PDB file of all heavy atoms in Angstrom:
ATOM      1  N   ASN A  46      18.607 -67.321 -33.408  1.00  0.00           N
ATOM      2  CA  ASN A  46      19.661 -66.998 -34.369  1.00  0.00           C
ATOM      3  C   ASN A  46      19.838 -65.489 -34.576  1.00  0.00           C
ATOM      4  O   ASN A  46      20.414 -65.057 -35.567  1.00  0.00           O
ATOM      5  CB  ASN A  46      19.381 -67.695 -35.714  1.00  0.00           C
ATOM      6  CG  ASN A  46      20.651 -67.993 -36.480  1.00  0.00           C
ATOM      7  OD1 ASN A  46      21.704 -68.203 -35.892  1.00  0.00           O
ATOM      8  ND2 ASN A  46      20.552 -67.993 -37.797  1.00  0.00           N
ATOM      9  N   CYS A  47      19.298 -64.676 -33.659  1.00  0.00           N
ATOM     10  CA  CYS A  47      19.354 -63.214 -33.801  1.00  0.00           C
ATOM     11  C   CYS A  47      20.231 -62.596 -32.714  1.00  0.00           C
ATOM     12  O   CYS A  47      20.160 -62.990 -31.558  1.00  0.00           O
ATOM     13  CB  CYS A  47      17.953 -62.611 -33.674  1.00  0.00           C
ATOM     14  SG  CYS A  47      16.776 -63.154 -34.913  1.00  0.00           S
ATOM     15  N   ASN A  48      21.026 -61.585 -33.126  1.00  0.00           N
ATOM     16  CA  ASN A  48      21.754 -60.828 -32.118  1.00  0.00           C
ATOM     17  C   ASN A  48      20.959 -59.563 -31.768  1.00  0.00           C
ATOM     18  O   ASN A  48      19.900 -59.298 -32.344  1.00  0.00           O
ATOM     19  CB  ASN A  48      23.191 -60.521 -32.572  1.00  0.00           C
ATOM     20  CG  ASN A  48      23.277 -59.550 -33.728  1.00  0.00           C
ATOM     21  OD1 ASN A  48      22.417 -58.683 -33.927  1.00  0.00           O
ATOM     22  ND2 ASN A  48      24.340 -59.678 -34.520  1.00  0.00           N
ATOM     23  N   THR A  49      21.450 -58.804 -30.827  1.00  0.00           N
ATOM     24  CA  THR A  49      20.725 -57.631 -30.345  1.00  0.00           C
ATOM     25  C   THR A  49      20.425 -56.641 -31.469  1.00  0.00           C
ATOM     26  O   THR A  49      19.306 -56.130 -31.573  1.00  0.00           O
ATOM     27  CB  THR A  49      21.522 -56.925 -29.225  1.00  0.00           C
ATOM     28  OG1 THR A  49      21.861 -57.884 -28.219  1.00  0.00           O
ATOM     29  CG2 THR A  49      20.728 -55.792 -28.596  1.00  0.00           C
ATOM     30  N   ARG A  50      21.396 -56.383 -32.329  1.00  0.00           N
ATOM     31  CA  ARG A  50      21.176 -55.449 -33.447  1.00  0.00           C
ATOM     32  C   ARG A  50      20.011 -55.925 -34.309  1.00  0.00           C
ATOM     33  O   ARG A  50      19.130 -55.142 -34.671  1.00  0.00           O
ATOM     34  CB  ARG A  50      22.446 -55.301 -34.294  1.00  0.00           C
ATOM     35  CG  ARG A  50      22.209 -54.463 -35.552  1.00  0.00           C
ATOM     36  CD  ARG A  50      23.462 -54.368 -36.448  1.00  0.00           C
ATOM     37  NE  ARG A  50      23.113 -53.911 -37.787  1.00  0.00           N
ATOM     38  CZ  ARG A  50      22.828 -52.663 -38.122  1.00  0.00           C
ATOM     39  NH1 ARG A  50      22.847 -51.710 -37.209  1.00  0.00           N
ATOM     40  NH2 ARG A  50      22.516 -52.351 -39.367  1.00  0.00           N
ATOM     41  N   GLU A  51      20.000 -57.191 -34.635  1.00  0.00           N
ATOM     42  CA  GLU A  51      18.953 -57.732 -35.508  1.00  0.00           C
ATOM     43  C   GLU A  51      17.573 -57.661 -34.858  1.00  0.00           C
ATOM     44  O   GLU A  51      16.578 -57.363 -35.522  1.00  0.00           O
ATOM     45  CB  GLU A  51      19.324 -59.160 -35.905  1.00  0.00           C
ATOM     46  CG  GLU A  51      20.570 -59.189 -36.771  1.00  0.00           C
ATOM     47  CD  GLU A  51      21.315 -60.514 -36.777  1.00  0.00           C
ATOM     48  OE1 GLU A  51      21.112 -61.339 -35.853  1.00  0.00           O
ATOM     49  OE2 GLU A  51      22.115 -60.719 -37.692  1.00  0.00           O
ATOM     50  N   VAL A  52      17.517 -57.891 -33.556  1.00  0.00           N
ATOM     51  CA  VAL A  52      16.246 -57.785 -32.836  1.00  0.00           C
ATOM     52  C   VAL A  52      15.720 -56.352 -32.901  1.00  0.00           C
ATOM     53  O   VAL A  52      14.539 -56.119 -33.152  1.00  0.00           O
ATOM     54  CB  VAL A  52      16.394 -58.255 -31.362  1.00  0.00           C
ATOM     55  CG1 VAL A  52      15.169 -57.904 -30.538  1.00  0.00           C
ATOM     56  CG2 VAL A  52      16.662 -59.755 -31.311  1.00  0.00           C
ATOM     57  N   VAL A  53      16.608 -55.367 -32.698  1.00  0.00           N
ATOM     58  CA  VAL A  53      16.181 -53.968 -32.735  1.00  0.00           C
ATOM     59  C   VAL A  53      15.777 -53.565 -34.157  1.00  0.00           C
ATOM     60  O   VAL A  53      14.787 -52.854 -34.338  1.00  0.00           O
ATOM     61  CB  VAL A  53      17.268 -53.027 -32.165  1.00  0.00           C
ATOM     62  CG1 VAL A  53      16.864 -51.563 -32.305  1.00  0.00           C
ATOM     63  CG2 VAL A  53      17.536 -53.360 -30.699  1.00  0.00           C
ATOM     64  N   LEU A  54      16.494 -54.037 -35.156  1.00  0.00           N
ATOM     65  CA  LEU A  54      16.103 -53.743 -36.537  1.00  0.00           C
ATOM     66  C   LEU A  54      14.695 -54.246 -36.813  1.00  0.00           C
ATOM     67  O   LEU A  54      13.881 -53.535 -37.414  1.00  0.00           O
ATOM     68  CB  LEU A  54      17.091 -54.367 -37.527  1.00  0.00           C
ATOM     69  CG  LEU A  54      18.429 -53.661 -37.686  1.00  0.00           C
ATOM     70  CD1 LEU A  54      19.388 -54.499 -38.511  1.00  0.00           C
ATOM     71  CD2 LEU A  54      18.243 -52.285 -38.321  1.00  0.00           C
ATOM     72  N   LYS A  55      14.396 -55.457 -36.370  1.00  0.00           N
ATOM     73  CA  LYS A  55      13.044 -56.001 -36.575  1.00  0.00           C
ATOM     74  C   LYS A  55      12.016 -55.231 -35.757  1.00  0.00           C
ATOM     75  O   LYS A  55      10.947 -54.894 -36.243  1.00  0.00           O
ATOM     76  CB  LYS A  55      12.993 -57.492 -36.212  1.00  0.00           C
ATOM     77  CG  LYS A  55      13.649 -58.378 -37.244  1.00  0.00           C
ATOM     78  CD  LYS A  55      13.290 -59.835 -37.118  1.00  0.00           C
ATOM     79  CE  LYS A  55      13.717 -60.459 -35.826  1.00  0.00           C
ATOM     80  NZ  LYS A  55      13.549 -61.934 -35.808  1.00  0.00           N
ATOM     81  N   ARG A  56      12.340 -54.935 -34.507  1.00  0.00           N
ATOM     82  CA  ARG A  56      11.406 -54.245 -33.620  1.00  0.00           C
ATOM     83  C   ARG A  56      11.085 -52.840 -34.108  1.00  0.00           C
ATOM     84  O   ARG A  56       9.931 -52.412 -34.106  1.00  0.00           O
ATOM     85  CB  ARG A  56      12.007 -54.171 -32.210  1.00  0.00           C
ATOM     86  CG  ARG A  56      11.106 -53.467 -31.190  1.00  0.00           C
ATOM     87  CD  ARG A  56      11.852 -53.065 -29.939  1.00  0.00           C
ATOM     88  NE  ARG A  56      12.757 -51.951 -30.221  1.00  0.00           N
ATOM     89  CZ  ARG A  56      13.751 -51.589 -29.419  1.00  0.00           C
ATOM     90  NH1 ARG A  56      13.986 -52.241 -28.303  1.00  0.00           N
ATOM     91  NH2 ARG A  56      14.533 -50.568 -29.745  1.00  0.00           N
ATOM     92  N   ASP A  57      12.093 -52.097 -34.534  1.00  0.00           N
ATOM     93  CA  ASP A  57      11.910 -50.691 -34.875  1.00  0.00           C
ATOM     94  C   ASP A  57      11.550 -50.455 -36.335  1.00  0.00           C
ATOM     95  O   ASP A  57      11.228 -49.333 -36.711  1.00  0.00           O
ATOM     96  CB  ASP A  57      13.172 -49.894 -34.537  1.00  0.00           C
ATOM     97  CG  ASP A  57      13.413 -49.756 -33.044  1.00  0.00           C
ATOM     98  OD1 ASP A  57      12.656 -50.350 -32.252  1.00  0.00           O
ATOM     99  OD2 ASP A  57      14.371 -49.062 -32.673  1.00  0.00           O
ATOM    100  N   GLY A  58      11.594 -51.492 -37.149  1.00  0.00           N
ATOM    101  CA  GLY A  58      11.323 -51.325 -38.573  1.00  0.00           C
ATOM    102  C   GLY A  58       9.869 -51.591 -38.943  1.00  0.00           C
ATOM    103  O   GLY A  58       9.054 -52.009 -38.122  1.00  0.00           O
ATOM    104  N   THR A  59       9.578 -51.320 -40.195  1.00  0.00           N
ATOM    105  CA  THR A  59       8.259 -51.580 -40.769  1.00  0.00           C
ATOM    106  C   THR A  59       8.434 -52.557 -41.922  1.00  0.00           C
ATOM    107  O   THR A  59       9.338 -52.382 -42.758  1.00  0.00           O
ATOM    108  CB  THR A  59       7.638 -50.262 -41.286  1.00  0.00           C
ATOM    109  OG1 THR A  59       7.564 -49.341 -40.195  1.00  0.00           O
ATOM    110  CG2 THR A  59       6.249 -50.493 -41.853  1.00  0.00           C
ATOM    111  N   ASN A  60       7.604 -53.595 -41.940  1.00  0.00           N
ATOM    112  CA  ASN A  60       7.653 -54.619 -43.005  1.00  0.00           C
ATOM    113  C   ASN A  60       9.055 -55.203 -43.165  1.00  0.00           C
ATOM    114  O   ASN A  60       9.539 -55.398 -44.286  1.00  0.00           O
ATOM    115  CB  ASN A  60       7.160 -54.050 -44.340  1.00  0.00           C
ATOM    116  CG  ASN A  60       5.728 -53.581 -44.260  1.00  0.00           C
ATOM    117  OD1 ASN A  60       4.885 -54.230 -43.632  1.00  0.00           O
ATOM    118  ND2 ASN A  60       5.437 -52.446 -44.868  1.00  0.00           N
ATOM    119  N   VAL A  61       9.702 -55.490 -42.049  1.00  0.00           N
ATOM    120  CA  VAL A  61      11.060 -56.034 -42.086  1.00  0.00           C
ATOM    121  C   VAL A  61      11.006 -57.521 -42.429  1.00  0.00           C
ATOM    122  O   VAL A  61      10.268 -58.294 -41.811  1.00  0.00           O
ATOM    123  CB  VAL A  61      11.784 -55.822 -40.739  1.00  0.00           C
ATOM    124  CG1 VAL A  61      13.162 -56.473 -40.752  1.00  0.00           C
ATOM    125  CG2 VAL A  61      11.888 -54.336 -40.431  1.00  0.00           C
ATOM    126  N   VAL A  62      11.778 -57.893 -43.440  1.00  0.00           N
ATOM    127  CA  VAL A  62      11.921 -59.292 -43.841  1.00  0.00           C
ATOM    128  C   VAL A  62      13.348 -59.697 -43.503  1.00  0.00           C
ATOM    129  O   VAL A  62      14.297 -58.966 -43.814  1.00  0.00           O
ATOM    130  CB  VAL A  62      11.646 -59.464 -45.353  1.00  0.00           C
ATOM    131  CG1 VAL A  62      11.907 -60.896 -45.789  1.00  0.00           C
ATOM    132  CG2 VAL A  62      10.221 -59.037 -45.683  1.00  0.00           C
ATOM    133  N   THR A  63      13.502 -60.863 -42.874  1.00  0.00           N
ATOM    134  CA  THR A  63      14.827 -61.348 -42.506  1.00  0.00           C
ATOM    135  C   THR A  63      15.125 -62.656 -43.225  1.00  0.00           C
ATOM    136  O   THR A  63      14.207 -63.400 -43.593  1.00  0.00           O
ATOM    137  CB  THR A  63      14.944 -61.568 -40.978  1.00  0.00           C
ATOM    138  OG1 THR A  63      13.939 -62.486 -40.568  1.00  0.00           O
ATOM    139  CG2 THR A  63      14.780 -60.256 -40.227  1.00  0.00           C
ATOM    140  N   ASP A  64      16.406 -62.937 -43.389  1.00  0.00           N
ATOM    141  CA  ASP A  64      16.815 -64.205 -43.991  1.00  0.00           C
ATOM    142  C   ASP A  64      16.973 -65.262 -42.896  1.00  0.00           C
ATOM    143  O   ASP A  64      16.681 -64.999 -41.720  1.00  0.00           O
ATOM    144  CB  ASP A  64      18.083 -64.025 -44.827  1.00  0.00           C
ATOM    145  CG  ASP A  64      19.320 -63.639 -44.015  1.00  0.00           C
ATOM    146  OD1 ASP A  64      19.307 -63.756 -42.761  1.00  0.00           O
ATOM    147  OD2 ASP A  64      20.312 -63.211 -44.638  1.00  0.00           O
ATOM    148  N   ASP A  65      17.456 -66.440 -43.265  1.00  0.00           N
ATOM    149  CA  ASP A  65      17.577 -67.526 -42.287  1.00  0.00           C
ATOM    150  C   ASP A  65      18.671 -67.279 -41.254  1.00  0.00           C
ATOM    151  O   ASP A  65      18.780 -68.012 -40.274  1.00  0.00           O
ATOM    152  CB  ASP A  65      17.775 -68.879 -42.980  1.00  0.00           C
ATOM    153  CG  ASP A  65      19.045 -68.947 -43.814  1.00  0.00           C
ATOM    154  OD1 ASP A  65      19.743 -67.927 -43.970  1.00  0.00           O
ATOM    155  OD2 ASP A  65      19.341 -70.054 -44.319  1.00  0.00           O
ATOM    156  N   GLN A  66      19.472 -66.228 -41.433  1.00  0.00           N
ATOM    157  CA  GLN A  66      20.489 -65.835 -40.453  1.00  0.00           C
ATOM    158  C   GLN A  66      20.041 -64.641 -39.619  1.00  0.00           C
ATOM    159  O   GLN A  66      20.835 -64.037 -38.914  1.00  0.00           O
ATOM    160  CB  GLN A  66      21.801 -65.498 -41.173  1.00  0.00           C
ATOM    161  CG  GLN A  66      22.420 -66.669 -41.911  1.00  0.00           C
ATOM    162  CD  GLN A  66      22.768 -67.804 -40.980  1.00  0.00           C
ATOM    163  OE1 GLN A  66      23.460 -67.602 -39.984  1.00  0.00           O
ATOM    164  NE2 GLN A  66      22.283 -68.996 -41.278  1.00  0.00           N
TER     165      GLN A  66
END
Side-chain angles (χ1 to χ4, degrees):
N46 208 29
C47 299
N48 68 29
T49 307
R50 174 183 164 77
E51 294 158 341
V52 169
V53 176
L54 284 171
K55 285 196 298 189
R56 180 196 71 196
D57 290 5
T59 302
N60 299 320
V61 176
V62 175
T63 58
D64 65 14
D65 62 354
Q66 297 299 307

